[in-house]
Amino acid sequence: HQKAADYTIARTRLGRTELVYDHILLLLWTLGGGLALLDTLWAPMGWGPLASGVAVMMSFLFIGSLLDVPFAAWMTFGLETRFGFNRTSAATFVGDLLKQAVLLLVIGTPLIALILWLMLESGSYWWLYVWAVWVGFSLLMMWVYPTVIAPLFNKFSPLDNATLRARIENLLARCGFHSQGIFVMDGSRRSGHGNAYFTGLGRNKRIVFFDTLLNNLEPDEIEAVLAHELGHFKRHHVQKRLGAMVVLSLAGLAL
């Protein structure tokens, strides 16, 4: 219990420091002229407003990601290691960063290009079209994440414990939760933490257990952890958060 309390306090303190750091970066990007500097650097290329805008925004995202690396590294190799949770190697850490960069390039470039094109071509109601694109993109990412994106970072295998599977399927049936399968993720490759979650959208949902969770808890405890996650499903928390995102993004773009 004391270790859990100490760990929570350490994470909270690091989170506060990172929050201050992020606010300083935001001020430097905006009032400090960082975005204007990026625009000035790309302007001599003569690519026109659309291509230059994409270059500026992608540069901003990549530089921002690099500036976040020190905190991610300290969280992994500092705090998590101090409390005995870290199992991430330096190679895995760097590999994850490279995969994230490729995903940002492949997914972010066409999305930003489409948004900037709408801003240039669709008149005074551009914000409404951009909102529709953003909502559609968010739903698409929720739908494809379990089967396309998540496997790029972790291995997923079907749960092979027949007794535990039957118990879980019974719990899912009682909750009215329909899934495309029950999987075990190699969470131990990166961390000693154990967890369970459901992911996906509509019929493309799946239940995922960390292998560390299955190795360290009894069946009753495993079912209790999953029951907590299914509580989010029963209380419609995903739909509520999605609805809040839709409303707030519309209000923000209108503003």
Side-chain angles (χ1 to χ4, degrees), residues 29 34-43 45 47 50-68 101 104-105 108-109 112 116:
W29 280 119
L35 286 171
L37 176 61
L38 283 181
D39 185 60
T40 301
L41 293 175
W42 282 106
M45 302 299 294
W47 289 345
L50 181 58
S52 294
V54 171
V56 169
M57 292 308 300
M58 291 304 296
S59 300
F60 163 70
L61 293 174
F62 274 110
I63 294 171
S65 298
L66 287 175
L67 292 174
D68 286 337
L104 178 59
L105 183 65
T109 301
I112 291 174
L116 293 180

Side-chain angles (χ1 to χ4, degrees), residues 127-174:
W127 55 274
L128 196 57
Y129 298 114
V130 169
W131 171 75
V133 167
W134 177 250
V135 171
F137 170 76
S138 300
L139 293 174
L140 177 63
M141 287 296 101
M142 291 178 65
W143 188 75
V144 303
Y145 178 81
T147 55
V148 178
I149 296 178
L152 297 174
F153 295 89
N154 290 97
K155 293 181 180 179
F156 296 84
S157 56
L159 178 64
D160 58 6
N161 185 324
T163 302
L164 182 59
R165 172 181 285 275
R167 184 169 187 158
I168 291 169
E169 289 175 344
N170 180 53
L171 174 62
L172 296 178
R174 298 204 312 269

Side-chain angles (χ1 to χ4, degrees), residues 73-251:
W74 175 249
M75 170 64 78
T76 301
F77 299 108
L79 192 147
E80 292 289 310
T81 298
R82 175 152 56 97
F83 285 92
F85 293 124
N86 179 49
R87 297 177 185 174
T88 303
S89 66
T92 299
F93 184 81
V94 173
D96 286 346
L97 292 177
L98 293 176
K99 291 176 186 177
Q100 291 166 13
V102 171
L103 284 173
L104 178 59
L105 183 65
V106 172
I107 298 174
T109 301
L111 178 64
I112 291 174
L114 177 57
I115 289 174
L116 293 180
W117 179 81
L118 288 171
M119 294 174 70
L120 288 169
E121 302 293 337
S122 54
S124 59
Y125 287 100
W126 66 267
W127 55 274
L128 196 57
Y129 298 114
V130 169
W131 171 75
V133 167
W134 177 250
V135 171
F137 170 76
S138 300
L139 293 174
L140 177 63
M141 287 296 101
M142 291 178 65
W143 188 75
V144 303
Y145 178 81
T147 55
V148 178
I149 296 178
L152 297 174
F153 295 89
N154 290 97
K155 293 181 180 179
F156 296 84
S157 56
L159 178 64
D160 58 6
N161 185 324
T163 302
L164 182 59
R165 172 181 285 275
R167 184 169 187 158
I168 291 169
E169 289 175 344
N170 180 53
L171 174 62
L172 296 178
R174 298 204 312 269
C175 293
F177 186 95
H178 303 283
S179 77
Q180 290 295 319
I182 303 170
F183 295 86
V184 180
M185 186 185 86
D186 61 339
S188 59
R189 183 183 170 202
R190 291 178 175 82
S191 174
H193 290 291
N195 202 359
Y197 66 91
F198 70 89
T199 184
L201 190 67
R203 293 283 178 176
N204 196 35
K205 296 194 296 290
R206 57 169 56 181
I207 298 293
V208 177
F209 291 98
F210 285 31
D211 55 356
T212 46
L213 184 84
L214 300 182
N215 293 334
N216 290 298
L217 298 185
E218 299 297 325
D220 283 346
E221 297 170 320
I222 294 170
E223 186 175 3
V225 172
L226 180 59
H228 165 85
E229 298 302 325
L230 292 175
H232 295 303
F233 167 76
K234 289 294 289 185
R235 302 301 297 176
H236 306 293
H237 290 167
V238 175
Q239 293 92 325
K240 291 175 181 176
R241 291 184 65 179
L242 184 60
M245 182 274 293
V246 168
V247 172
L248 290 173
S249 60
L250 177 62

